[in-house]
Amino acid sequence: MDLDGLWQTALGELEVSLSKANFSTWFKNTFIYSFDEGAGEIIIGVPNSFHKEWLENKFNPQILKTLLKLDSRTKGLKYKVISKTAPALKPASAPALTPSFEKAKDVALNSYYTFETFVVGASNRLAHAASKAVAKKPGSVYNPLFLYGGVGLGKTHLMQAIGNTLVLKENNQRVVYATCEKFTNEFIKSVQTGRVTAFKERYRNANVLLIDDIQFLVGKDSTKEEFFHTFNALYQDGRQIVISSDRPPQALLALEDRLVSRFGGGMVADINPPDLETRIAILKQKRKEKAYQCQDEILEFIAEKVQQNIRELEGALTRLMATCQLQAQDPSLDLANQVLGSLWARVQGPVDINKIIGKVADFYGLKNEDLLNKRRDREFVHPRQIAMYLLRHELGYSFPKIGKELRRDHTTIMHGCEKIEKEIIQKSGLKQEITLIKSRIYEK
Ligand code: ADP
Ligand code: MG
């Protein structure tokens, strides 16, 4: 295979394993510049130092693995910026320097965090729309933009999506992203090393300043003072500022009123925990990105379980799929429950079959034994079917397993579960009934 063919094949593989945004951003205009077969070293030509940094830091292991698979002589990779004037081996694929990237070297953005990979639902619609508007017209519509919400709900993702959009724009903006912690550390260090001017320049030259997790700016008076001045300098000059926090501005008690009132002067948008539909949509998107083989039923099961944190939601799916791969098994509800059971226990009180049977019996004023015996009166049949349904949906038990536990044939169990599933849609009272039982089951 010639170098071009080797790289095209490698790109084909990488494309499948990366998100579309990542792939098109970082691999466009790259090529194999040289392959020293003796030393096993491949040099990849990249359009600019920004790409070089990203490929080295973020994708090197993946690229190396892919090339090694295609050519076992591969030992190491290097990246080289090939400028227009340098002798490019392959003029056809030699990329043009994109000067706009050069200006953005400071950026510490994760290229995965784009608007394309962000799933919009009722819980984040406002924050998403405001972020898009800012990315379209920085410094004009919503300034500052203040995003707030609980942990793992997409604040950093949205902020960085604004940054990534602007960095990629033709008329590139100087984007500076920093967590509040980083801002603080850099400031303190600049004071210690006598480089405060350089620090100020860096932040005050930003066209767009993104400061993540501002709630950590507490009790550090000089840093707070510096932040206030940075904020004012940029704001007065019409530069865009985006701030994120885990609470609304007025609840940032440790910050000065004058700063908090500035935050409130622009756009304040909250992000709430996603509803079930959005959680399912997020898992479906993950499945697509990672090309997981996994039925909707399992995604729905995970989405019902993990409700408060999108990072944990994704983490649950990743963990399940990793286990499936290791054990060479297909994902199933049973396996999901087995692998993720400890996660459920952490997110909500520990739940097992005894707890479900106990709570269901208790709810209907029965004894546990009543759910297991053979009596066919309606006052027993309905609670039994609810128990089947809950064992299936809350613990992911298979029909035969529920059958064994409830001393019934698995077709009886299947019929029972289906009946409840159907009635839940038809009778709103039943849905509420089950919600009440569930809240008792998950009480800590
Ligand atoms: P926060 O900064 O609010 O703590 P993050 O932005 O770090 O949360 O989000 C946590 C994880 O969840 C990230 O991997 C992010 O990509 C993902 N995520 C959050 N919201 C969404 C969404 N609406 N669509 C897709 N992924 C999301
Ligand atoms: Mg964050």
Side-chain angles (χ1 to χ4, degrees):
M1 210 187 303
D2 67 0
L3 294 185
D4 207 23
L6 176 62
W7 189 234
Q8 290 313 319
T9 314
L11 287 180
E13 298 218 350
L14 287 163
E15 186 170 10
V16 198
S17 64
L18 293 166
S19 74
K20 193 165 148 255
N22 252 333
F23 182 77
S24 61
T25 306
W26 303 115
F27 290 88
K28 203 158 59 185
N29 295 335
T30 57
F31 58 99
I32 294 184
Y33 177 76
S34 65
F35 189 177
D36 178 343
E37 291 170 7
E41 185 182 88
I42 293 181
I43 296 181
I44 296 180
V46 297
N48 55 55
S49 57
F50 194 49
H51 274 73
K52 178 170 184 285
E53 217 171 285
W54 270 98
L55 292 177
E56 266 169 5
N57 293 331
K58 299 278 171 183
F59 298 109
N60 189 57
Q62 222 169 330
I63 302 171
L64 183 61
K65 209 173 95 196
T66 309
L67 285 169
L68 183 64
K69 217 166 66 186
L70 297 171
D71 192 318
S72 57
R73 294 169 299 179
T74 312
K75 290 210 176 63
L77 292 182
K78 277 203 177 132
Y79 302 85
K80 189 177 165 117
V81 179
I82 311 283
S83 78
K84 264 184 188 160
T85 48
L89 281 187
K90 300 193 177 307
S93 55
L97 238 192
T98 316
S100 59
F101 278 110
E102 299 297 299
K103 282 191 266 156
K105 264 188 226 157
D106 262 345
V107 174
L109 297 170
N110 179 335
S111 64
Y112 170 76
Y113 294 138
T114 62
F115 288 115
E116 275 169 57
T117 55
F118 191 84
V119 176
V120 184
S123 55
N124 57 31
R125 185 160 283 127
L126 176 68
H128 173 262
S131 301
K132 278 221 109 160
V134 162
K136 200 165 172 203
K137 279 190 142 191
S140 56
V141 268
Y142 301 128
N143 203 16
L145 170 62
F146 189 98
L147 301 171
Y148 77 91
V151 176
L153 296 182
K155 301 183 294 293
T156 299
H157 190 138
L158 275 181
M159 267 192 142
Q160 296 215 2
I162 296 173
N164 278 318
T165 307
L166 291 171
V167 163
L168 290 177
K169 265 196 183 168
E170 278 312 318
N171 58 342
N172 183 25
Q173 306 275 338
R174 228 189 105 81
V175 178
V176 175
Y177 166 88
T179 59
C180 180
E181 199 189 355
K182 182 169 168 235
F183 181 89
T184 304
N185 291 342
E186 283 181 9
F187 176 65
I188 293 171
K189 199 165 163 211
S190 78
V191 172
Q192 286 166 350
T193 56
R195 302 182 57 127
V196 177
T197 315
F199 173 88
K200 284 188 203 276
E201 247 171 44
R202 176 167 138 70
Y203 282 94
R204 294 188 195 179
N205 280 338
N207 291 123
V208 179
L209 177 64
L210 311 165
I211 296 287
D212 210 350
D213 288 324
I214 194 81
Q215 73 272 10
F216 292 123
L217 194 64
V218 291
K220 298 156 187 144
D221 284 340
S222 58
T223 314
K224 273 197 266 188
E225 192 68 20
E226 178 57 29
F227 181 75
F228 183 66
H229 291 306
T230 305
F231 184 96
N232 276 344
L234 295 177
Y235 184 71
Q236 276 158 15
D237 205 30
R239 320 276 183 87
Q240 178 69 47
I241 302 166
V242 184
I243 312 250
S244 85
S245 165
D246 68 348
R247 63 202 83 168
Q250 65 276 15
L252 287 164
L253 300 178
L255 297 190
E256 293 170 76
D257 291 344
R258 55 181 183 162
L259 187 54
V260 169
S261 69
R262 289 267 152 113
F263 291 164
M267 169 74 165
V268 177
D270 59 339
I271 308 184
N272 295 295
D275 53 24
L276 178 64
E277 198 185 326
T278 310
R279 298 199 298 276
I280 294 173
I282 289 171
L283 290 177
K284 285 188 174 165
Q285 155 149 317
K286 274 279 130 184
R287 174 176 66 185
K288 198 167 122 207
E289 276 169 17
K290 305 253 174 157
Y292 288 150
Q293 301 293 322
C294 180
Q295 291 163 312
D296 285 358
E297 187 189 32
I298 290 161
L299 301 185
E300 284 158 15
F301 178 64
I302 295 174
E304 270 186 36
K305 293 292 198 172
V306 186
Q307 306 183 346
Q308 293 298 326
N309 182 326
I310 296 174
R311 188 174 298 112
E312 287 191 353
L313 184 69
E314 292 180 0
L317 179 62
T318 308
R319 191 149 26 126
L320 173 63
M321 296 311 296
T323 308
C324 288
Q325 201 172 19
L326 278 175
Q327 304 183 354
Q329 281 196 57
D330 288 333
S332 65
L333 287 177
D334 254 346
L335 190 64
N337 200 54
Q338 211 177 303
V339 172
L340 304 172
S342 60
L343 181 68
W344 312 153
R346 197 158 50 77
V347 175
Q348 331 171 273
V351 174
D352 58 18
I353 175 163
N354 292 329
K355 190 153 184 187
I356 289 185
I357 303 247
K359 294 288 178 182
V360 171
D362 188 53
F363 186 84
Y364 294 103
L366 303 175
K367 294 199 269 329
N368 290 4
E369 183 54 30
D370 294 330
L371 296 178
L372 306 176
N373 67 29
K374 300 277 176 198
R375 295 181 54 184
R376 315 277 300 238
D377 318 44
R378 160 135 183 109
E379 56 171 316
F380 300 117
V381 172
H382 177 70
R384 248 178 238 142
Q385 287 175 336
I386 295 286
M388 295 170 195
Y389 171 87
L390 289 173
L391 288 175
R392 175 92 180 140
H393 288 264
E394 301 308 303
L395 296 185
Y397 278 19
S398 63
F399 297 128
K401 187 163 176 185
I402 302 173
K404 203 168 142 225
E405 296 287 355
L406 298 185
R407 302 179 202 155
R408 271 163 179 81
D409 191 53
H410 80 274
T411 51
T412 309
I413 305 293
M414 217 147 83
H415 167 77
C417 286
E418 273 166 15
K419 180 151 174 286
I420 300 295
E421 276 157 16
K422 222 181 286 157
E423 284 183 0
I424 238 179
I425 300 165
Q426 295 157 353
K427 303 181 189 169
S428 66
L430 180 61
K431 187 166 182 192
Q432 207 176 9
E433 193 174 307
I434 291 176
T435 305
L436 283 173
I437 299 171
K438 277 192 347 194
S439 71
R440 290 188 182 198
I441 290 173
Y442 287 112
E443 253 166 19
K444 291 225 178 187

